Amino acid sequence: SAVGQTDARISATWQVQKYDISATLPQSEAERNLVVKAKIDVKNVSAQLASTLTLRIGSSAEITGVNINGAIVDFTKGEEKINSATSLQRIVLRIPSVQPGAAVSVTVDYKFNVKENSGLNAISPVGSQFLPTSFWYPTPNSWYFARGADFAPVRLQVQGGGQTIVASGTESGGAFDQKLSGQPFFVSGSWDAVTAGGITVMIPKGAGA
């Protein structure tokens, strides 16, 4: 015999198929914005037509434009309260109906402001970093969703203003391609590369033994 129960968790409507993100770090110390163009391929994984797409991103993001499959679309913004200390920004798009199993590409242009540096996101002349839980990129299913956050292959290109960029995946032509499912992140800095036993380690430039 077996015992079972109905899974009452809310099911996902959209699933990310790929992230393709281009970001530019500020060129001056006074500037505190990461300028980003994020293209996200999403698939309707529900059993019904989908005519609304909601993206989540950090509340400090200033959205300047959104398009679906190359066509500009209007959007509305709202707040998604997680707890007393955390809230996400909701970007709600009304789109032409998408059949179950079909996919669309959404591109979001925005500026992500970093008021204060932390271990999750930081901008400085000596190094910067943007980790997934700083909510620096848009995605349909948030990190607090009952079914879990979105994971997908990632292509990431960052203009670093003279800093060296490190991210997950294989680097080619200044872009990192991660073919396994993951979440976008990068760190940058002024480093020397030291290779030993086939492993390359980045250390602060000018550091001693």
Side-chain angles (χ1 to χ4, degrees), residues 21 34 36 38 55-63 80 82-83 85-91 110-114 118-121 129-139 141-145 149 183-185:
I21 300 176
L34 180 74
V36 187
L55 302 174
R56 276 88 177 173
I57 194 171
S59 57
S60 66
E62 178 189 345
I63 311 299
E80 187 167 297
I82 305 303
N83 53 45
T86 305
S87 62
L88 298 176
Q89 184 176 177
R90 257 198 323 250
I91 311 300
Y110 61 98
K111 296 178 180 179
F112 191 86
N113 181 259
V114 179
S118 72
L120 297 178
N121 58 340
Q129 61 187 26
F130 285 83
L131 304 186
T133 47
S134 65
F135 319 125
W136 71 278
Y137 60 92
T139 199
N141 302 303
S142 90
W143 299 258
Y144 301 96
F145 182 48
Q183 296 181 316
F185 75 92

Side-chain angles (χ1 to χ4, degrees), residues 92-121:
V92 182
L93 313 174
R94 293 288 182 183
I95 63 177
S97 295
V98 179
Q99 295 284 341
V104 296
S105 293
V106 53
T107 302
V108 183
D109 291 282
Y110 61 98
K111 296 178 180 179
F112 191 86
N113 181 259
V114 179
K115 294 181 176 63
E116 295 182 356
N117 290 345
S118 72
L120 297 178
N121 58 340

Side-chain angles (χ1 to χ4, degrees), residues 25-33 123-125 161:
L25 287 164
Q27 303 299 306
S28 68
E29 294 186 25
E31 179 64 38
R32 302 293 299 170
N33 289 319
I123 290 178
S124 81

